[in-house]
Amino acid sequence: MIPAVLAQVGGTRAAPLQLPEVEYSAMAPALILIGGALILLVWVSVVRRRPPWLWAAFSLVTGAAAMGASLWLWFDVRDDGPRRAVADALVVDGFSVFFFVLVSATVILAALLGEGYLRREGFGGPEFYVLMLLSASGAMFMAAANDLIVVFLGLEILSIALYVLAGFHGRRLESREAAMKYFVLGAFSSALFLYGVALVYGATGSTNLVSIAQYLAGNVALENGVLLAGMALLLVGLGFKVAVVPFHTWTPDVYQGAPSPVTGFMASASKVAGFAALLRVFFSTFSTLRLDWQPVVWGLAVVTLLVGSVLAVVQTDIKRMLAYSSINHAGYVLIGLQAGTANGISGALFYLLAYTFMVLGSFAVITVVGRRGDAHHSLDTYRGLAARRPTLAFAFTVFLLAQAGVPFTTGFLAKFYVVSAAVEEGSYALALIGMLAAVVAAFFYLRVTVLMYMTPASAEEVTEGAPPAQPRLRLPATTGVAVAVAVAFTLAFGLLPSPMIRFARQATLLM
Amino acid sequence: MLAATKVDVAVFGASAVIVLAGAIGVVISANPVHAALSLVMTLFGVAVLFVAQEAHFLAAVQVIVYAGAIVVLFLFVIMLLGVDRRENVAREELRGQRPIAFLLGIATIAEFVLLTRGTSWVTGAESVVGPASGPGANVETLARSLFTRYLLAFEITSVLLVIAVVGAVVLARRPPPERPEEPEPLAVPERLHTPQLDDAAPVPATEVPAP
């Protein structure tokens, strides 16, 4: 009886399964992050000895290991050339390794920020770090994905962990509200993205980015409505992640409500990964449809630049202001994409690199100034900060000026490269709007600087004639290190930018 | 195309009744647990329909995943939130929701009608129909692509499950209480000997370290 059944089963079986080769080295940085998160989870449930600094220290080691693996991959790709891995699902080229390095740096800085914050707010346990590491691994998969399904899964891994992190501060109602808003709107945008994947699959017969590009290169569709609709939905889904203007409405509320280190991580990792996917999908996969998407991206860039900079001016909360400023930054990266040239892409990459350090540094300072409870974020809190904490005020000034694009900072060069890429392509109007937005943006960055340096601590107390009594700000050593690293990066590569520019230039896409 | 036998018609009729009865039960039950159980009925009816179509794998997935896992999850959530919490369905939470839903429903139907009228929009690869059983069947092809072309996607889905578990724990547990025993030290100017409190500090205003 049983042999008969087995024979029947064996008879219906076709050729044996050819499992694809799994190149673990190609995704080593992401695997290190996932492994680190799993070790943390096992550790907390098995080992009884757990000093409070352990989780942060272990996350730092994991981040450093991921950084090491990324750098090793960088030289490997440079010597042996780019390649595809794991049944064409991933592509290891300079572009993806560039983002591996960037995400690893984000993990290291965010772990440094998180340590002081969690200790101040009285949160023990490794959950924060576990979610952050897993989220970062999603960002890496997104950057290296060669298949729309993998892009989607990376997006979900990144986002779902971020939804939870946004609501991490359970005592603050704003934090819960931010998580809820981010989750509902994020789920909506993920659904749109998935619908876009389905339509593109329907139009081209593949979800693989290379196969799609080959199909589009070999076939010209006369009625390509489905393909264009799919492309538009992909743009919406990714545009939501990177906060491009019509899809930006979640940004201010979520940035304001989420715990400050999480906002820093969200502003850097999520934006970086979203742009990695956006640049790869549109610049390399849909390059034959450039005439269709370029005008749309042009329009999005203009609206994003203007809305981001103008609305930031009227904000009275520093986190909301930086949320609008991050929208403004997204507009500059779109300028690089819109140019659609190798220079535009390397300009966009350099912009993301500079932006990551500026924004994480800014949120490090905001975390400290926010004090216990993470609630002091009104612009008035920054009055006279220079008199109380000159070093902190100096660091914040560096980040703000860099974001405004003042010379001798990385921010200036970043804006310069994307705008000059646009000028090379003849998009003078867009370049002009970009510079105009920078002028408007300079106003609100400088306003905070003026508040810190040129106004007394608190206006009403001065009128009463009594000297102000401001609580002393505690700067944990770890946060101090993060701020110092970000300042050093912003200034050093602002003065001597050539290594980083070479880094961004060599980060080319395979294909 | 095989002609439908009397047995086919009978099976379809019976399961259609079960599906519709369950669906109506979900909508009209006042008790959420009853609604969830009616949903199980609908899902079983759909599973029977799948078997009638010889989609055995889909039928099994329907029972195991939907009736088994997802409805149990629904019941967990209902139990956690409390069964007796009745909602007043007559009250509109969002004003104007119903007319808009009505209009959007009409629009959706209109879209389907337009689509069936045949447009030349669809481009690209031709559709693929696999046999329901035997070598190269749908289920086997699905399994093959999961473990070959989409191996990485299949594997990294597990990361999502880890995040879901950790995230559920983080969001569901009670946040640790604030530590009141550690007031923030106040920076008081040296020349002033009567320290003042920051009005925003949530600490009791009794103990202030002297400068």
Side-chain angles (χ1 to χ4, degrees):
Chain A
M1 175 78 194
I2 291 170
V5 172
L6 281 181
Q8 198 186 354
V9 171
T12 57
R13 193 192 296 151
L17 197 61
Q18 287 280 325
L19 286 175
E21 197 186 337
V22 180
E23 292 92 342
Y24 291 104
S25 67
M27 44 180 175
L31 290 182
I32 288 173
L33 294 181
I34 295 174
L38 293 182
I39 290 173
L40 276 178
L41 279 178
V42 173
W43 192 313
V44 72
S45 41
V46 173
V47 184
R48 198 153 283 282
R49 256 188 52 135
R50 30 196 200 210
W53 46 265
L54 180 84
W55 316 124
F58 190 80
S59 308
L60 280 180
V61 171
T62 309
M67 174 72 93
S70 309
L71 290 176
W72 173 77
L73 263 183
W74 174 261
F75 292 111
D76 193 50
V77 167
R78 198 189 59 183
D79 296 340
D80 297 351
R83 59 183 182 271
R84 304 201 186 101
V86 204
D88 267 10
L90 288 182
V91 54
V92 187
D93 51 12
F95 184 84
S96 43
V97 180
F98 176 88
F99 282 101
F100 286 175
V101 173
L102 202 49
V103 172
S104 307
T106 311
V107 166
I108 293 173
L109 287 178
L112 285 171
L113 250 75
E115 205 273 338
Y117 177 84
L118 293 176
R119 193 170 291 196
R120 188 181 71 193
E121 306 292 330
F123 286 103
E127 295 89 351
F128 177 89
Y129 302 105
V130 169
L131 288 171
M132 194 187 72
L133 293 173
L134 291 178
S135 175
S137 79
M140 287 184 177
F141 279 123
M142 238 175 125
N146 193 31
D147 194 297
L148 286 173
I149 303 278
V150 179
V151 175
F152 175 71
L153 280 168
L155 183 77
E156 287 299 284
I157 293 171
L158 171 78
S159 310
I160 292 181
L162 275 177
Y163 303 150
V164 180
L165 281 175
F168 195 81
H169 201 312
R171 287 193 304 269
R172 286 181 63 222
L173 212 58
E174 300 96 314
S175 178
R176 295 267 149 147
E177 185 197 331
M180 191 67 198
K181 260 186 191 152
Y182 195 23
F183 171 68
V184 172
L185 291 173
F188 200 65
S189 82
S190 294
L192 289 180
F193 182 85
L194 203 55
Y195 195 18
V197 174
L199 289 183
V200 169
Y201 177 72
T204 62
S206 178
T207 55
N208 189 287
L209 294 180
V210 178
S211 309
I212 294 173
Q214 281 166 354
Y215 180 87
L216 292 178
N219 300 272
V220 176
L222 296 175
E223 300 259 355
N224 57 356
V226 172
L227 180 61
L228 291 184
M231 210 165 71
L233 287 172
L234 292 185
L235 188 60
V236 173
L238 293 171
F240 174 88
K241 271 290 131 209
V242 300
V244 165
V245 151
F247 328 114
H248 71 290
T249 42
W250 60 278
T251 320
D253 290 342
V254 174
Y255 274 36
Q256 187 185 15
S260 302
V262 175
T263 313
F265 181 70
M266 191 191 300
S268 50
S270 174
K271 195 158 286 208
V272 159
F275 269 117
L278 201 61
L279 294 174
R280 186 187 291 281
V281 169
F282 280 85
F283 181 68
S284 83
T285 303
F286 291 136
S287 58
T288 43
L289 298 171
R290 183 167 300 177
L291 293 179
D292 289 316
W293 59 255
Q294 243 169 351
V296 180
V297 173
W298 190 92
L300 288 178
V302 169
V303 193
T304 306
L305 285 168
L306 293 181
V307 170
S309 56
V310 170
L311 286 187
V313 172
V314 296
Q315 302 304 320
T316 54
D317 183 290
I318 189 93
K319 281 168 93 177
R320 284 186 89 84
M321 190 197 95
L322 282 185
Y324 281 106
S325 116
S326 89
I327 294 172
N328 181 30
H329 288 305
Y332 286 102
V333 186
L334 281 185
I335 295 182
L337 172 64
Q338 196 273 338
T341 55
N343 272 347
I345 297 301
S346 65
L349 293 188
F350 184 78
Y351 202 102
L352 289 171
L353 182 67
Y355 168 77
T356 298
F357 282 87
M358 295 187 295
V359 77
L360 271 167
S362 304
F363 278 101
V365 177
I366 288 174
T367 308
V368 172
V369 178
R371 302 210 300 277
R372 204 139 76 89
D374 199 14
H376 302 85
H377 297 304
S378 114
L379 284 183
D380 284 335
T381 326
Y382 289 82
R383 280 177 194 281
L385 186 71
R388 285 179 290 146
R389 295 299 298 245
T391 333
L392 207 60
F394 169 74
F396 203 37
T397 309
V398 169
F399 299 136
L400 290 174
L401 292 181
Q403 294 197 52
V406 168
F408 307 115
T409 60
T410 47
F412 168 73
L413 293 162
K415 283 196 171 53
F416 176 76
Y417 285 121
V418 285
V419 168
S420 63
V423 169
E424 277 169 29
E425 278 305 290
S427 320
Y428 297 111
L430 190 57
L432 201 67
I433 292 169
M435 286 188 271
L436 202 70
V439 173
V440 178
F443 168 72
F444 60 82
Y445 293 123
L446 289 177
R447 187 174 58 174
V448 179
T449 315
V450 167
L451 274 179
M452 287 194 297
Y453 279 93
M454 296 180 191
T455 54
S458 182
E460 61 268 33
E461 288 186 38
V462 168
T463 53
E464 284 167 19
Q470 287 274 0
R472 189 187 301 139
L473 301 172
R474 262 191 221 145
L475 178 65
T478 47
T479 314
V481 172
V483 172
V485 168
V487 167
F489 184 91
T490 305
L491 287 181
F493 293 113
L495 291 169
L496 299 164
S498 45
M500 286 303 137
I501 287 166
R502 230 179 303 133
F503 187 37
R505 286 250 164 87
Q506 286 174 358
T508 48
L509 285 152
L510 176 64
M511 282 182 9
Chain B
M1 186 84 190
L2 294 169
T5 61
K6 276 179 188 166
V7 179
D8 287 339
V9 175
V11 167
F12 174 78
S15 46
V17 169
I18 294 174
V19 168
L20 287 178
I24 293 170
V26 173
V27 180
I28 63 169
S29 318
N31 187 327
V33 175
H34 293 171
L37 292 177
S38 306
L39 185 60
V40 175
M41 199 162 115
T42 300
L43 296 173
F44 267 106
V46 174
V48 172
L49 284 177
F50 279 141
V51 172
Q53 300 286 318
E54 295 196 352
H56 302 291
F57 175 72
L58 218 50
V61 167
Q62 175 84 10
V63 171
I64 295 169
V65 176
Y66 281 88
I70 290 182
V71 174
V72 170
L73 207 66
F74 280 175
L75 285 174
F76 268 142
V77 173
I78 293 168
M79 301 286 183
L80 274 175
L81 293 177
V83 184
D84 48 306
R85 198 189 292 177
R86 301 258 169 99
E87 276 193 39
N88 185 2
V89 192
R91 198 167 62 90
E92 276 191 71
E93 291 287 345
L94 292 169
R95 210 181 298 160
Q97 189 184 19
R98 280 173 203 182
I100 292 174
F102 184 75
L103 287 178
L104 288 179
I106 297 283
T108 313
I109 292 173
E111 276 171 22
F112 276 120
V113 171
L114 275 179
L115 271 180
T116 50
R117 286 177 63 84
T119 56
S120 51
W121 258 37
V122 177
T123 59
E126 283 158 26
S127 68
V128 181
V129 180
S133 58
N138 276 332
V139 178
E140 194 185 314
T141 316
L142 195 67
R144 272 180 192 281
S145 34
L146 270 189
F147 286 99
T148 55
R149 250 184 93 189
Y150 297 107
L151 179 69
L152 181 79
F154 182 62
E155 294 292 340
I156 62 174
T157 313
S158 57
V159 179
L160 274 178
L161 294 181
V162 175
I163 292 175
V165 172
V166 178
V169 171
V170 168
L171 290 180
R173 74 159 172 219
R174 204 180 291 274
E178 220 165 343
R179 291 171 303 176
E181 73 274 14
E182 204 183 327
E184 288 183 1
L186 298 184
V188 178
E190 292 292 335
R191 58 200 164 75
L192 189 80
H193 291 289
T194 51
Q196 296 183 351
L197 272 171
D198 176 34
D199 52 351
V203 290
T206 46
E207 300 293 320
V208 175

